[in-house]
């Protein structure tokens, strides 16, 4: 099957998942690119996502939520054109340094290994505009694969 | 600013302020809608069921990231209350196991400090919905308490 015959792109798949996942939409997440090797996702700096009111730094939890979602999209990109649900098994995030208050962050997530039942994902997050420099956070995650039928029911 | 946080914690202990104020000063905690229940000196953190925190609309299930953020924030407040000189702990790392789907209902979390050092805190966090013995997620996290070289 060549990509040109599929009526939707990886970008479409990622945007559709953002549309349906209310919490990620609430976070203000945006998909920047979606390729087989991975996705790039943006999380804006917003006052209501701040973790420490004295410093204005984004909450680690907001960065985590964005990265978990990005990992799911990396799975979708790897599984494309098939659809599967991929619940998170395990997720670790290391906060290497605090992003500058007021600055958005960008995450690159890549599914580097796909087995019959499990996906392995690596993630790196930078401050926007500093994607060539030191990351603010790195992540490592595993997800389980649940195949679904046309009606969205889990089949295996 | 740190002084005002210290004063607030002292006021909570004296019963002159509500522990909920500690949660509400954090914008992201308000974004998630985190609540705090205090029984004596025991804290239970609550993430009330909220359609804004849904990740899977079909089940429906909570967003794993919302549950993780809730647990991280619970740990931060828990540590704050254990510190002699309270200063907002910085998350070094956070590792979570998803054991069951977080259904669209209230979620509770409790924290256990494995070790509280001068510089680092090791914390275990557990979240459940139906029964404490059936956690939906467990997490292990490390926090930086002080950046002073002493």
């Amino acid at each position: 099957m060549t990509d040109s015959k599929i009526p939707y792109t990886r970008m479409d798949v990622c945007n559709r998942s953002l549309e349906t996942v209310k919490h990620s939409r609430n976070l203000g997440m945006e998909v920047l690119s979606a390729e087989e090797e991975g996705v790039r996702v943006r999380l804006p700096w917003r006052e209501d996502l701040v973790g420490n009111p004295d410093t204005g730094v984004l909450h680690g939890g907001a960065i985590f939520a964005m990265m978990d979602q990005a990992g799911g999209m990396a799975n979708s990109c790897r599984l494309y054109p098939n659809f599967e649900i991929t619940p998170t098994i395990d997720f670790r995030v290391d906060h290497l340094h605090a992003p500058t208050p007021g600055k958005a962050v960008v995450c690159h997530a890549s599914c580097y290994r796909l087995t019959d039942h499990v996906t392995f994902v690596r993630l790196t997050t930078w401050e926007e505009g500093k994607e060539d420099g030191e990351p603010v956070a790195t992540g490592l995650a595993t997800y389980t694969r649940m195949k679904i039928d046309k009606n969205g029911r889990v089949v295996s | 600013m740190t002084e005002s946080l210290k004063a607030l914690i002292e006021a909570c202990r004296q019963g002159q302020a509500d522990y909920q104020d500690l949660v509400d000063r954090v914008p992201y905690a308000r974004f998630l809608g985190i609540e705090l229940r205090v029984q004596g000196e025991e804290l239970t953190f609550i993430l009330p069921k909220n359609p804004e925190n849904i990740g899977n609309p079909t089940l429906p299930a909570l967003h794993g990231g919302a549950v993780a953020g809730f647990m991280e924030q619970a740990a931060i407040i828990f540590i704050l209350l254990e510190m002699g000189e309270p200063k907002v702990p910085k998350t070094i790392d956070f590792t979570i196991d998803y054991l069951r789907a977080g259904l669209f209902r209230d979620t509770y979390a409790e924290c256990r400090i494995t070790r509280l050092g001068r510089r680092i805190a090791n914390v275990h966090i557990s979240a459940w919905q139906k029964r404490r013995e059936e956690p939906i997620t467990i997490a292990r996290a490390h926090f930086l308490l002080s950046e002073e070289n002493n």
Side-chain angles (χ1 to χ4, degrees):
Chain A
M1 195 162 11
T2 58
D3 280 18
S4 59
K5 284 182 188 159
I6 305 161
Y8 50 87
T9 63
R10 289 187 173 85
M11 192 70 177
D12 293 336
V13 174
C14 291
N15 278 325
R16 214 184 77 169
S17 84
L18 259 196
E19 276 161 35
T20 52
V21 178
K22 191 165 188 189
H23 187 69
S24 299
R25 226 168 48 225
N26 290 344
L27 288 167
M29 285 179 61
E30 189 190 334
V31 187
L32 302 177
S33 69
E35 309 291 338
E36 183 176 10
E37 61 77 38
V39 285
R40 227 164 241 275
V41 173
R42 178 182 190 270
L43 177 76
W45 181 91
R46 256 192 3 225
E47 210 143 340
D48 59 347
L49 301 180
V50 164
N52 185 339
D54 299 336
T55 61
V57 171
L58 271 176
H59 199 288
I63 293 175
F64 181 100
M66 176 272 290
M67 288 175 76
D68 192 9
Q69 181 71 43
M73 290 180 186
N75 292 332
S76 307
C77 285
R78 180 76 190 258
L79 294 163
Y80 174 88
N82 297 319
F83 279 119
E84 288 184 23
I85 303 176
T86 54
T88 316
I89 302 171
D90 166 88
F91 202 112
R92 173 187 173 116
V93 58
D94 285 345
H95 295 282
L96 308 185
H97 67 83
T100 310
K103 292 285 171 65
V105 291
V106 171
C107 171
H108 179 258
S110 172
C111 170
Y112 65 97
R113 167 89 176 125
L114 189 68
T115 72
D116 286 347
H117 301 288
V118 177
T119 81
F120 298 81
V121 176
R122 255 194 296 258
L123 310 96
T124 310
T125 300
W126 301 266
E127 203 173 290
E128 192 173 43
K130 292 189 178 171
E131 287 90 337
D132 294 328
E134 276 280 303
V136 294
T138 53
L140 207 50
T142 50
Y143 297 79
T144 179
R145 296 176 61 183
M146 294 169 85
K147 296 172 185 71
I148 49 174
D149 65 15
K150 281 186 194 128
N151 304 313
R153 272 194 292 267
V154 175
V155 290
S156 73
Chain B
M1 281 180 275
T2 316
E3 281 307 307
S4 70
L5 176 60
K6 198 175 164 184
L8 174 60
I9 292 174
E10 201 44 48
C12 290
R13 290 215 171 93
Q14 306 288 332
Q16 289 153 357
D18 200 330
Y19 279 94
Q20 184 68 36
D21 295 347
L22 277 174
V23 178
D24 290 342
R25 69 187 288 284
V26 180
Y28 181 70
R30 288 199 305 270
F31 175 78
L32 292 177
I34 298 176
E35 290 176 8
L36 191 55
R37 187 178 297 154
V38 186
Q39 290 164 300
E41 289 191 356
E42 235 179 61
L43 301 180
T44 307
F45 296 87
I46 308 162
L47 183 68
K49 77 178 221 184
N50 176 353
E52 302 302 323
N53 293 338
I54 284 180
N56 180 333
T58 354
L59 275 175
L62 296 178
H63 195 287
V67 177
F70 162 58
M71 293 168 85
E72 184 176 330
Q73 183 56 45
I76 289 171
I77 290 177
F78 193 84
I79 298 167
L80 256 184
L81 292 170
E82 295 291 321
M83 292 168 81
E85 283 294 317
K87 184 168 175 283
V88 180
K90 290 183 177 173
T91 314
I92 299 170
D93 58 65
F94 184 90
T95 310
I96 184 167
D97 273 21
Y98 290 95
L99 307 175
R100 295 175 176 84
L103 302 175
F104 183 49
R105 51 193 294 169
D106 295 351
T107 308
Y108 305 91
E110 62 179 2
C111 307
R112 198 181 68 231
I113 293 181
T114 319
R115 180 169 188 272
L116 188 67
R118 206 203 306 258
R119 193 174 288 172
I120 308 288
N122 305 53
V123 189
H124 179 273
I125 312 122
S126 174
W128 72 93
Q129 292 186 324
K130 292 175 184 167
R131 296 152 58 91
R132 202 180 285 252
E133 302 75 47
E134 288 175 16
I136 58 161
T137 51
I138 50 174
R140 206 168 62 87
H142 298 95
F143 295 89
L144 185 65
L145 308 180
S146 164
E147 283 165 277
E148 284 161 31
N149 291 313
N150 55 7

